[in-house]
Amino acid sequence: MKLLVVEDEIQLADALSEILKRNMYTVDTVYDGIDGLDNALTGIYDGIILDIMLPRMNGIEILRNIRREKIHTPVLLLTARSEVEDKINGLDCGADDYLTKPFVTGELLARVRAMTRRKGEIIDNNKLEFNGLELNKNTCAIIYAGNDVKLSLKEYQIMEMLIANPHHILPKERIIEKIWGYESDVEYNNIEVYISFLRKKITVISAPVQIKTARGIGYSLE
Ligand code: CA
């Protein structure tokens, strides 16, 4: 899952991003309001963690803007204790939840899970399953009939995208966009390498699941 962190306190922003990455999220971090808005408007994120007090454009304005553009990415507002009015304002403007600073890691992760769950794509955030093949977030492994094999972070992220929408072709551009980001210079054959690793691992645990290639387009889980 891909998250956007918009927070101008650089240390906090980087710490947030670290924690989230360690918990298997892909994270883009920006430190001011205009960059936050630009990124949020791409609509590619599964969730946005948005500070309210930001240079150049505040979080509430960003939120208003993206909702006006019909972007429904879930938003978790970060607020200081003194910003009660902003909090109410934020929820009125279409934020999904808020978290008061300072917060503990456990609460942040729980809120992020709840926020991304609301989108309805994933029912149990720790476990995804298709045809008996399970993808486990806690262990970063795929499991079938008691056999398991660990995945690398990128393999995990690709598998997560595939398993969330089985039988649907996942275009290569979308994989790059989600996992490496717009400006990356990852090439299609890099993805092919990860797909071939994943196929081998699926074979290792003898799962009755296949990653099919849609030539020139992308991949689907069958
Ligand atoms: Ca701030």
Side-chain angles (χ1 to χ4, degrees), residues 7-9 51-54 101:
E7 166 62 74
D8 61 315
E9 289 161 52
D51 187 28
I52 292 184
M53 299 296 284
L54 289 165
K101 293 191 240 181

Side-chain angles (χ1 to χ4, degrees), residues 57-212:
M57 179 182 277
N58 73 43
I60 303 289
E61 283 175 66
I62 295 174
L63 189 55
R64 267 205 203 103
N65 269 291
I66 62 175
R67 292 298 184 246
R68 201 182 300 135
E69 295 300 320
K70 306 267 180 283
I71 288 170
H72 302 295
T73 312
V75 170
L76 174 64
L77 283 178
L78 296 183
T79 68
R81 236 170 249 292
S82 55
E83 296 164 350
V84 181
E85 210 143 285
D86 285 339
K87 227 178 265 181
I88 298 164
N89 214 343
L91 293 173
D92 285 344
C93 289
D96 296 79
D97 201 358
Y98 63 84
L99 189 58
T100 308
K101 293 191 240 181
F103 46 81
V104 293
T105 306
E107 186 176 11
L108 168 79
L109 293 172
R111 297 293 177 107
V112 170
R113 278 197 299 273
M115 163 174 88
T116 48
R117 191 156 53 224
R118 261 177 222 130
K119 210 179 158 199
E121 274 182 356
I122 287 161
I123 305 119
D124 179 341
N125 276 283
N126 291 320
K127 221 201 257 177
L128 282 162
E129 196 244 286
F130 174 66
N131 205 24
L133 172 81
E134 182 190 318
L135 177 68
N136 191 302
K137 184 177 198 162
N138 296 327
T139 56
C140 197
I142 48 172
I143 303 147
Y144 180 73
N147 297 315
D148 67 330
V149 57
K150 274 211 171 275
L151 303 183
S152 72
L153 179 60
K154 298 285 184 238
E155 289 164 5
Y156 176 90
Q157 290 170 329
I158 294 172
M159 194 61 196
E160 187 182 43
M161 292 180 79
L162 285 166
I163 208 167
N165 273 303
H167 308 299
H168 281 82
I169 295 171
L170 182 61
K172 289 180 190 178
E173 302 91 77
R174 186 143 170 78
I175 300 178
I176 293 184
E177 188 176 290
K178 270 238 171 186
I179 297 179
W180 282 273
Y182 272 128
E183 278 148 39
S184 81
D185 46 16
V186 171
E187 289 176 11
Y188 288 165
N189 51 10
N190 291 69
I191 297 178
E192 278 153 29
V193 172
Y194 285 106
I195 293 285
S196 76
F197 289 158
L198 272 173
R199 282 183 175 134
K200 277 188 197 123
K201 290 185 176 179
I202 289 170
T203 312
V204 166
I205 57 169
S206 312
V209 166
Q210 224 188 331
I211 300 174
K212 285 219 167 118

